């Protein structure tokens, strides 16, 4: 724990251009941002601003066209398995039990799963509030519970970085709010560096230490604002004046850009 | 107070409406009960068709070479011994099943190749369409001449008819995997073989089974077509042999048997999916 510890994640002048049939599409241009270890950062922006591209670059699924992405000080040159990814949809294997879904990354990587790894999976399932559901099939669970399994799967390899791509946007409004609080609880139990993509202002404000606002395509960082709300946050936070003021502030920023 | 009065009025007028609905029941209650029991209606329809058929054949004295009555067709089964029937059935069934198995074994690697490589797909796909567009009935005699007698040419003919729907359904299924899971697989740096065995192929199971259901009935058609061209056994051969001697009732008996075999094979595929891959079935009605 020295003062010179590198950032968990650092983007330096990252640009991303995709080749497409109708010509090249510039998704990102000159993205500069950094995320400290165990920081919870929300990325907010209009649809198609390249938010998901940020995740893919961090996971090493993409290489930046220009600039550099570093994770814990080392450039990302290939797919990294020390990041956990939670997708917009749970994308579970419909034929596998909840437990088998959680241990899937291990089985997929190494071909087999040990007894201790299975025990660990059951522990993580308890952490995400799914104790006793390990033998169920995904189809028997509600949407919110399926996404909990998705989170447990991402947590299994105990990654330093958790990448979440609009993980609650497919859920109904009530479940979505509940899952937000759940995520805060899990994050407090197992601290992680979180990069959380969303287009919900309230979700970003409630969850994150810092909100990064992206522009329209080609996406770049427009604002980088710390969230001035104390932790732990709970249902009272959502009704506080501070939260409403900050959310209003953000909304003004986003709408100004849209106008 | 007045609003409460009106709401009381409305609510008091509601129950008689509810009570009136079940009172207005249709008279034919037994028909509904029969319809609710699975299997009753199809069997009844089939039986009715047989009765009308039998009655018409007798009433209008339709010659048996035009349309034999169901009872005469049943008599056609006595034309040869049970042992001979089993020989015919086995010949057809064997060719159909081996052809079906070969179709699966050939279609799966082709489908994986089409999924994995765009170049391979560009090379192979037009070729597959050409094969599919070739009337197999027309090249069957050529295949028989090339491959000689025995099961081999018949299996090849069966395969040519049955394998294309499998390739299409398997390829569609292998491509239907959620892209997120493929990204997950890539981020785990797992070998590509596991991407197929643990993600793509299981995801394709529902698609594969719809292909198998089409393919198994086509396999029976393929076996019969092959027997029409050259065979000394099999139900297809039996039908052709019987018609050439104008023994239509026994030809119809052979046809009935073929339909029965096709149905049984189809149902076996349905059953296999239900037993081994219950999760792949569409959601059951409540």
């Amino acid at each position: 724990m020295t003062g010179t510890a590198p950032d968990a994640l650092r983007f330096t002048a990252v640009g991303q251009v995709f080749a497409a049939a109708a010509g090249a599409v510039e998704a990102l241009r000159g993205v500069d941002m950094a995320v400290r270890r165990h920081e919870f950062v929300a990325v907010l922006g209009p649809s198609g601003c390249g938010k998901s591209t940020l995740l893919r670059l961090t996971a090493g699924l993409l290489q930046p066209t220009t600039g550099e992405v570093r994770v814990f000080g080392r450039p990302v040159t290939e797919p990294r398995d020390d990041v956990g990814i939670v997708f917009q949809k749970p994308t579970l294997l419909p034929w596998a039990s909840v437990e088998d879904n959680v241990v899937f990354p291990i089985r997929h990587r190494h071909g087999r799963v040990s007894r201790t790894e299975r025990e660990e999976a059951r522990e993580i399932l308890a952490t995400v509030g799914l104790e006793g559901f390990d033998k169920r099939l995904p189809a028997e669970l509600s949407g919110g519970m399926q996404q909990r399994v998705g989170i447990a799967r991402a947590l299994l390899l105990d990654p330093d970085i958790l990448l979440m791509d609009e993980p609650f946007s497919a859920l109904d409004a009530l479940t979505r709010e509940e899952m937000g609080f759940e995520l805060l609880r899990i994050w407090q139990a197992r601290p992680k560096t979180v990069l959380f993509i969303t287009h919900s202002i309230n979700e970003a404000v409630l969850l994150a230490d810092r909100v990064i606002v992206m522009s329209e395509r080609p996406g770049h960082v427009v604002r980088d604002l710390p969230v001035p709300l104390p932790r732990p946050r709970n249902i009272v936070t959502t009704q506080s004046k501070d939260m409403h003021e900050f959310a209003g502030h953000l909304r003004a920023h986003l709408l100004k850009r849209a106008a | 107070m007045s609003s409460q009065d009106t709401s009381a009025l409305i609510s008091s007028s509601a129950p008689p409406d509810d009570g009136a609905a079940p009172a207005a029941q249709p008279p034919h209650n037994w028909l509904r009960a029969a319809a609710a029991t699975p299997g009753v209606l199809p069997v009844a329809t089939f039986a009715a068709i047989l009765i009308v058929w039998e009655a018409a054949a007798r009433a209008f004295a339709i010659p048996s070479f035009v349309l034999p009555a169901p009872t005469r067709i049943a008599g056609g089964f006595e034309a040869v011994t049970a042992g001979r029937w089993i020989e015919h059935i086995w010949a057809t069934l064997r060719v159909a099943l081996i052809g079906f198995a070969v179709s699966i074994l050939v279609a799966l690697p082709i489908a994986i190749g089409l999924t994995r490589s765009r170049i391979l797909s560009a090379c192979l796909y037009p070729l597959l369409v050409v094969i599919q567009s070739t009337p197999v009935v027309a090249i069957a005699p050529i295949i028989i001449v090339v491959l000689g007698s025995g099961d081999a040419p018949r299996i090849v003919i069966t395969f040519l008819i049955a394998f294309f729907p499998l390739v299409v359904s398997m390829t569609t299924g292998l491509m239907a995997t959620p892209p997120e899971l493929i990204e997950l697989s890539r981020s785990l740096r797992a070998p590509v073989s596991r991407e197929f065995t643990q993600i793509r192929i299981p995801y394709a199971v529902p698609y594969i089974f719809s292909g198998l259901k089409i393919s198994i009935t086509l396999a029976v058609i393929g076996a019969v077509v092959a027997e029409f061209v050259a065979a000394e056994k099999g139900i297809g051969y039996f039908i052709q042999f019987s018609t050439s001697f104008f023994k239509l009732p026994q030809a119809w008996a052979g046809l009935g048997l073929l339909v029965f075999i096709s149905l049984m094979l189809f149902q076996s595929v349905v059953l296999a999916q239900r037993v081994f891959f219950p999760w792949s079935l569409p959601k059951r009605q409540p």
Side-chain angles (χ1 to χ4, degrees):
Chain A
M1 280 285 154
T2 55
T4 57
D7 291 311
L9 178 60
R10 176 173 282 281
F11 279 64
T12 313
V14 169
Q16 186 73 48
V17 179
F18 293 109
V25 175
E26 194 177 9
L28 298 176
R29 178 189 287 174
V31 174
D32 286 295
M33 62 179 221
V35 180
R36 289 189 306 278
R37 185 156 189 264
H38 290 179
E39 196 179 17
F40 196 129
V41 171
V43 178
L44 197 59
S47 311
C49 71
K51 296 182 300 248
S52 301
T53 308
L54 293 180
L55 291 196
R56 282 170 181 77
L57 285 166
T58 309
L61 293 166
L62 276 177
Q63 290 301 312
T65 317
T66 55
E68 192 183 45
V69 179
R70 282 174 180 266
V71 171
F72 292 108
R74 307 176 73 171
V76 178
T77 52
E78 57 173 0
R80 308 176 59 93
D81 55 6
D82 59 348
V83 297
I85 312 177
V86 181
F87 301 100
Q88 187 171 356
K89 284 175 280 173
T91 53
L92 305 175
L93 309 174
W95 57 89
S97 71
V98 165
E99 185 185 308
D100 284 338
N101 263 292
V102 175
V103 296
F104 172 72
I106 292 178
R107 181 196 298 282
H108 198 58
R109 177 89 200 270
H110 304 292
R112 57 202 180 84
V113 185
S114 73
R115 192 179 293 255
T116 45
E117 283 158 343
R118 286 195 171 275
E119 265 163 36
E120 210 171 306
R122 281 194 288 273
E123 249 169 62
I124 291 172
L125 279 171
T127 312
V128 301
L130 285 177
E131 198 165 14
F133 283 91
D134 35 305
K135 296 287 171 267
R136 301 284 192 92
L137 287 179
E140 299 170 333
L141 307 184
S142 69
M145 288 160 99
Q146 289 186 23
Q147 194 55 290
R148 284 168 200 251
V149 179
I151 294 172
R153 178 176 67 189
L155 290 175
L156 180 71
L157 294 168
D158 200 26
D160 283 307
I161 300 179
L162 193 57
L163 305 173
M164 307 187 86
D165 191 359
E166 303 185 23
F168 307 142
S169 61
L171 303 174
D172 64 84
L174 270 177
T175 313
R176 182 174 191 160
E177 213 174 307
E178 189 194 331
M179 288 299 290
F181 291 120
E182 276 292 292
L183 179 61
L184 282 180
R185 192 180 59 72
I186 295 164
W187 180 63
Q188 252 126 35
R190 293 168 178 258
K192 302 276 171 216
T193 310
V194 183
L195 195 63
F196 189 97
I197 308 288
T198 181
H199 47 227
S200 158
I201 292 171
N202 285 340
E203 199 170 66
V205 174
L206 175 70
L207 299 176
D209 296 316
R210 202 144 55 83
V211 178
I212 288 174
V213 181
M214 300 271 294
S215 71
E216 272 133 48
R217 206 156 59 205
H220 56 272
V221 177
V222 194
R223 282 283 182 286
D224 188 341
L225 302 164
V227 180
L229 297 174
R231 291 195 189 269
R233 297 179 193 159
N234 48 38
I235 194 112
V236 182
T237 318
T238 61
Q239 292 150 353
S240 72
K241 195 162 150 267
D242 287 349
M243 168 140 177
H244 280 287
E245 263 173 20
F246 187 68
H249 181 61
L250 273 177
R251 190 166 286 117
H253 265 303
L254 282 165
L255 292 179
K256 211 190 298 162
R257 295 211 58 85
Chain B
M1 280 311 253
S2 68
S3 69
Q4 265 184 359
D5 285 344
T6 40
S7 73
L9 241 168
I10 291 163
S11 65
S12 71
S13 72
D17 272 0
D18 285 347
Q25 269 177 354
H28 298 300
N29 237 343
W30 56 270
L31 195 61
R32 288 195 163 190
T37 318
V40 167
L41 285 186
V43 168
T45 310
F46 189 63
I49 290 171
L50 284 183
I51 289 168
V52 170
W53 180 355
E54 181 76 36
R58 283 169 191 240
F60 304 114
I62 299 171
S64 75
F65 64 86
V66 177
L67 184 67
T71 45
R72 294 226 33 206
I73 293 172
F77 282 107
E78 288 158 22
V80 292
T81 61
R84 282 293 285 168
W85 273 122
I86 288 168
E87 272 178 50
H88 286 310
I89 291 171
W90 174 236
T92 306
L93 202 58
R94 188 180 63 225
V95 169
L97 286 178
I98 296 174
F100 180 60
V102 171
S103 300
I104 296 172
L105 292 180
V106 173
L108 189 60
I110 290 180
I112 289 174
L114 290 178
T115 313
R116 274 211 64 186
S117 155
R118 209 166 284 181
I119 297 167
L120 195 64
S121 169
C123 298
L124 268 184
Y125 205 75
L127 189 69
L128 289 174
V129 174
V130 169
I131 293 177
Q132 173 63 10
S133 310
T134 312
V136 176
V137 184
I139 55 164
I142 301 172
I143 292 170
I144 300 272
V145 170
V146 173
L147 293 175
S149 58
D151 277 355
R154 291 196 274 277
I155 289 166
V156 169
I157 292 165
T158 305
F159 158 78
L160 284 177
I161 288 189
F163 94 111
F164 191 74
L166 271 177
V167 173
V168 173
S169 63
M170 283 176 177
T171 311
T172 313
L174 292 174
M175 302 281 244
T177 313
E180 291 93 339
L181 280 173
I182 302 306
E183 289 202 319
L184 183 66
S185 170
R186 284 185 47 211
S187 81
L188 291 164
R189 281 175 292 165
V192 182
S193 62
R194 274 193 213 130
E195 176 191 316
F196 276 89
T197 56
Q198 295 186 350
I199 301 177
R200 283 194 190 266
I201 292 175
Y203 248 100
V205 161
Y207 297 84
I208 292 175
F209 266 95
S210 48
L212 290 177
K213 283 181 213 164
I214 299 170
S215 180
I216 189 84
T217 43
L218 287 178
V220 176
I221 294 177
V224 171
V225 164
E227 286 165 6
F228 279 177
V229 178
E232 52 292 323
K233 243 180 236 151
I235 300 173
Y237 160 80
F238 177 80
I239 290 173
Q240 209 186 30
F241 168 85
S242 303
T243 47
S244 60
F245 286 94
F246 253 62
K247 294 174 173 170
L248 267 296
Q250 68 185 50
W252 279 82
L255 179 67
L257 210 52
L258 269 181
V259 172
F260 179 75
I261 289 170
S262 259
L263 279 175
M264 286 301 113
L265 291 175
F266 182 86
Q267 285 303 323
S268 319
V269 175
V270 171
L271 193 69
Q273 184 178 14
R274 204 171 290 162
V275 171
F276 297 113
F277 307 95
W279 51 266
S280 71
L281 296 165
K283 290 232 163 66
R284 267 147 280 171
Q285 279 96 18

